[in-house]
Amino acid sequence: MVTSNHSAALAFLQSSSLPMLMQEEIERLIMTGELPVGSRINESELSQRFNTSRGPIREALRALEEAGLVRNEKNRGVFVREIAFEEADEIYELREALEEVIGRRVALAIKHDAIERLRAMLDAMRSAAQAQDVEQYAQLNLQFHEILLDTAGSKKLTETYKRLVKELHLFRMRALDSGGGLRVSADEHRAIVDAIASGNPDIAGQALRKHVAGSRARMHKAFGRADSAPIEAPNNPPQKEV
């Protein structure tokens, strides 16, 4: 009886976690560009690829629709979502405010070993920028901001921020590859680490806000909207005694 109950519980756990696993895998295909923006998602191909039935694939796609990464068109199927420029610009505006909050929290909470870890990542980002390796740089960029987000220590902030970042991913990839964006972005990340290391929440918050404003301006340039470039975030305030 105990063995039977254990087997049933294991089967339930496997069946309930499979859609989540499929969601992670399909999201990875979207974020790496293997499933391009605007492309139709073939449930049959995915079920064969991951050696599973269509049920977990459908559940995963419903979750990805709620996350804003895919759209379901009646009688046509599920497609990787395309975000209009205006919506992306609004998301960037929200990110500016969120990044400032993150910067302030991180400056007060970060430890010395985490700062050293960030500095080590700066060297890797600089190398990727010099090699014009956009995909490698993008992955390092995501890891860099993940460290900051974890250090900020806010569950609600993390949930909101991650959704916005995922929706902006393809826009940011194109912006990074335009107009020297990699080199400039690498310099901005170094300024962020220096600001965080100061321990001053005002300086750290403004450094992160300014970085996102720069990313937003690069997006405007990449999509031919330089004439409507956003106003740059204000310069850092004078450093306080810490």
Side-chain angles (χ1 to χ4, degrees):
M1 184 70 173
V2 173
T3 301
S4 177
N5 289 340
H6 176 73
S7 298
L10 181 61
F12 175 77
L13 179 62
Q14 290 174 335
S15 64
S16 61
S17 61
L18 186 56
M20 184 178 296
L21 178 61
M22 292 299 96
Q23 179 183 344
E24 292 174 355
E25 287 299 311
I26 297 170
E27 182 178 306
R28 180 183 62 79
L29 296 178
I30 294 172
M31 301 302 278
T32 59
E34 191 169 343
L35 285 174
V37 169
S39 65
R40 185 176 181 276
I41 298 176
N42 190 310
E43 289 183 8
S44 179
E45 288 182 1
L46 289 177
S47 64
Q48 291 177 22
R49 174 171 182 158
F50 297 123
N51 193 28
T52 185
S53 65
R54 292 194 183 188
I57 300 294
R58 290 196 185 104
E59 288 188 50
L61 292 177
R62 280 195 290 269
L64 289 171
E65 184 178 14
E66 291 179 3
L69 293 181
V70 304
R71 69 180 191 280
N72 192 341
E73 296 188 10
K74 189 175 181 180
N75 300 323
R76 291 196 64 208
V78 179
F79 296 80
V80 179
R81 188 170 167 233
E82 296 177 271
I83 299 177
F85 175 89
E86 290 73 18
E87 182 179 356
D89 197 43
E90 289 178 3
I91 295 173
Y92 262 113
E93 187 174 14
L94 290 174
R95 270 198 66 202
E96 287 185 32
L98 289 179
E99 291 280 11
E100 183 171 358
V101 174
I102 291 170
R104 295 180 65 86
R105 293 177 69 100
V106 170
L108 295 173
I110 199 163
K111 305 299 182 185
H112 178 73
D113 59 339
I115 292 176
E116 291 306 307
R117 183 181 173 194
L118 290 173
R119 291 198 188 282
M121 290 190 70
L122 292 175
D123 294 332
M125 293 175 79
R126 171 64 65 182
S127 296
Q130 291 175 343
Q132 288 296 299
D133 189 337
V134 178
E135 291 187 7
Q136 175 66 12
Y137 187 91
Q139 288 302 313
L140 289 167
N141 183 52
L142 288 173
Q143 292 172 25
F144 182 97
H145 287 279
E146 282 279 354
I147 294 173
L148 300 186
L149 198 56
D150 289 343
T151 305
S154 169
K155 182 179 179 180
K156 184 57 65 177
L157 182 60
T158 296
E159 291 174 355
T160 305
Y161 180 87
K162 284 188 173 182
R163 175 172 180 135
L164 295 178
V165 166
K166 288 173 183 177
E167 290 181 330
L168 278 174
H169 181 73
L170 295 176
F171 280 86
R172 292 199 355 259
M173 285 287 283
R174 180 169 170 182
L176 280 171
D177 199 25
S178 173
L182 288 180
R183 178 183 54 77
V184 174
S185 180
D187 290 340
E188 290 171 355
H189 282 81
R190 189 170 299 279
I192 288 169
V193 176
D194 289 342
I196 289 171
S198 76
N200 187 311
D202 293 332
I203 291 175
Q206 284 299 314
L208 273 159
R209 187 177 192 119
K210 188 173 183 179
H211 167 59
V212 178
S215 298
R216 187 180 176 194
R218 287 190 288 276
M219 182 196 73
H220 278 246
K221 182 176 181 179
F223 286 82
R225 305 294 185 92
D227 58 324
S228 59
I231 299 173
E232 185 175 311
N235 292 328
N236 293 341
Q239 187 166 354
K240 302 175 182 177
E241 292 292 329
V242 295

